[in-house]
Amino acid sequence: MKKPAKKSEPPVPIKALHVGSGDPLLLLHGFMLSPHCWTQTANRLAAQCEVFAPAFAGHWGGAPGDGWSTDIYTLADRIEDQLDEMGWRTCHIAGNSLGGWVGIELARRGRARTLTLIAPAGGWNAPSLTQFRVGLKFLAMVPIIEIGKRVGGFVKHNPVTHRLTKLLLVKNSGAVSRTDMTAVIEAALHCQAMLPLIMGTFRAPALSDLSDLPTPVRLLLAESDHIIPNRVYARRYLKELPDSADRILMHRVGHVPMLEAPDRIATLIAEHVYASRGHLRAI
């Protein structure tokens, strides 16, 4: 008689993923996400690196936020405190979306050995229509999240919710497990920093000129990014990053490519880390 399939355990909040040994590597997640989105990539990198992927303050699994308005500088302060506690004066940094923006700030503070930016946010001038537009895009999600909190389990496990979320975040929906998508939805529903960060985005100054970043940079853009499309939000990165920076367009992936292409992301990060050791190339 065939045994019934084992039910997967529901995702739980994670303060930080901390796996592996080797070069120190910090992985930073995007807005309204959590360390869960890095799980598969972190496990692939753990053979070569000591990987630390913390939850941002005000996000699912993270420490409480900082009031009604916050910004990337406050988030960077909190991450710096964690790096200090671990004894990591410098480390390799890879950040997705908001995590990329915070990674740039950490690099400016001298904490990055290398910096890998994955569909990074923040590539707008301030004040500008582009800045206002991205704030409004996330502000429009607030009522949806509030309704989701009230209906709880129905939203977390509903196939329609999963499908709509995948359409926003990834290109190949079949490559993302149900457990990973449940974790994404849980993180969004438990993001206390949602409104404070949106308000902070409206008020935040523009990124400083990117041409003087003091660390080797690799820019990874997602071809099918529906959250911050490249044609608008990648212009400053493409124009201002140093000529020495890698600029790579990843085909057939969406805004959070770690969910659908963890092997590719792990290889691209590892390759950049290895290059800093003396021009070794990962294959």
Side-chain angles (χ1 to χ4, degrees), residues 15-233:
K15 184 178 179 181
L17 293 171
H18 194 180
V19 295
S21 60
D23 288 8
L25 172 61
L26 174 68
L27 302 179
L28 300 174
H29 64 76
F31 180 44
M32 296 173 63
L33 293 175
S34 73
H36 289 86
C37 67
W38 285 112
T39 302
Q40 294 184 70
T41 300
N43 288 337
R44 286 159 171 79
L45 289 163
Q48 297 87 26
C49 298
E50 181 181 355
V51 182
F52 181 61
F56 279 131
H59 289 67
W60 193 40
D66 291 283
W68 286 104
S69 180
T70 191
D71 53 36
I72 58 120
Y73 307 105
T74 305
L75 295 178
D77 289 343
R78 296 288 196 94
I79 297 295
E80 270 205 294
D81 290 343
Q82 291 176 281
L83 296 181
D84 291 342
E85 286 171 13
M86 295 173 66
W88 286 12
R89 178 66 194 89
T90 62
C91 58
H92 302 278
I93 300 175
N96 171 231
S97 193
L98 173 68
W101 194 357
V102 174
I104 290 170
E105 175 59 21
L106 291 170
R108 291 195 188 283
R109 298 180 187 190
R111 305 305 296 250
R113 300 182 190 181
T114 63
L115 181 61
T116 303
L117 304 173
I118 306 167
W124 46 78
N125 294 312
S128 69
L129 181 59
T130 307
Q131 179 194 31
F132 188 67
R133 209 162 43 190
V134 76
L136 283 182
K137 181 182 287 190
F138 283 107
L139 201 57
M141 295 173 64
V142 173
I144 300 169
I145 296 296
E146 289 303 317
I147 292 168
K149 289 177 183 177
R150 283 161 176 73
V151 295
F154 174 78
V155 168
K156 296 172 199 174
H157 306 294
N158 187 283
V160 175
T161 308
H162 279 232
R163 180 168 178 75
L164 290 174
T165 307
K166 286 177 181 179
L167 284 172
L168 276 175
L169 301 183
V170 301
K171 171 68 173 174
N172 181 10
S173 60
V176 186
S177 73
R178 186 174 181 81
T179 300
D180 283 347
M181 197 46 53
T182 300
V184 166
I185 294 167
E186 284 273 21
L189 295 178
H190 289 87
C191 183
Q192 298 171 351
M194 184 178 186
L195 271 173
L197 267 171
I198 292 171
M199 297 309 297
T201 298
F202 280 124
R203 298 167 53 188
L207 274 172
S208 299
D209 192 318
L210 295 160
S211 63
D212 61 353
L213 278 176
T215 189
V217 181
R218 167 164 280 189
L219 173 66
L220 306 179
L221 297 178
E223 181 184 39
S224 300
D225 194 329
H226 299 307
I227 301 293
I228 47 173
N230 298 322
R231 66 182 180 277
V232 176
Y233 297 99

